[in-house]
Amino acid sequence: MMWGTFFVVFAAIWALQFVLTHLQVKHYQGKIKEMTRKHQGYLGTGYFKKRFGNGAVMLVVCDEETNIKEAKVMQGLTVFARFKTVKKLIGMTLEETRDLDTLTVKESSALAGAADMIEKEINKKREGNEAWIS
């Protein structure tokens, strides 16, 4: 009897975790779609991940001159974390953000990943491979 209860509780917790993770992935994909519909330019995503503890995910949209049009960060331990706008980045260039000391280590690391992704896409476009979102 005791093992049966254990397995039922375990299965319920596992199912709940599956549902909540699915909802977080839908939120992430929805934010990306929203940002690509709202802006023309390049979208970069970066992340900071720890083995234990909370991480960070950064979404950045830049124009052709690498001016940041929109920046959002999601931080937290749980599936309830949501994206928040990082107003201090809007209007800056990617180069200007490299020496920014007002971000946390997590945010800086995630931003660096997003900036690298955007720079790779810009270089692809210069080489003739289209990467522009519209």
Side-chain angles (χ1 to χ4, degrees):
M1 182 72 173
M2 194 163 93
W3 282 107
T5 304
F6 171 78
F7 285 122
V8 168
V9 170
F10 178 79
I13 291 170
W14 182 79
L16 179 63
Q17 189 245 346
F18 177 80
V19 168
L20 292 174
T21 301
H22 177 73
L23 292 174
Q24 188 174 36
V25 168
K26 284 185 68 121
H27 172 71
Y28 175 79
Q29 291 172 336
K31 265 313 163 197
I32 289 177
K33 285 179 185 174
E34 173 190 315
M35 290 174 75
T36 56
R37 275 194 308 260
K38 207 167 22 169
H39 299 283
Q40 286 191 338
Y42 297 95
L43 173 71
T45 60
Y47 62 91
F48 173 83
K49 188 174 178 184
K50 286 176 105 177
R51 183 94 171 128
F52 296 102
N54 59 350
V57 176
M58 180 85 67
L59 303 177
V60 178
V61 174
C62 288
D63 63 14
E64 190 77 29
E65 290 78 38
T66 73
N67 297 308
I68 297 175
K69 298 297 181 190
E70 190 167 7
K72 294 192 177 288
V73 67
M74 178 172 55
Q75 300 183 69
L77 283 170
T78 71
V79 294
F80 300 110
R82 293 293 177 247
F83 281 101
K84 295 179 178 103
T85 300
V86 186
K87 292 178 183 172
K88 58 188 156 194
L89 296 178
I90 298 170
M92 298 179 80
T93 65
L94 291 180
E95 190 61 39
E96 290 170 337
T97 65
R98 295 208 186 276
D99 301 321
L100 201 58
D101 58 358
T102 58
L103 297 175
T104 67
V105 172
K106 294 176 218 168
E107 292 170 332
S108 293
S109 180
L111 176 59
D116 289 345
M117 184 181 197
I118 289 169
E119 287 167 355
K120 285 178 187 171
E121 293 301 315
I122 288 172
N123 290 333
K124 278 185 193 176
K125 185 174 183 198
R126 287 185 185 138
E127 294 167 7
N129 301 324
E130 286 298 315
W132 184 258
I133 60 170
S134 60

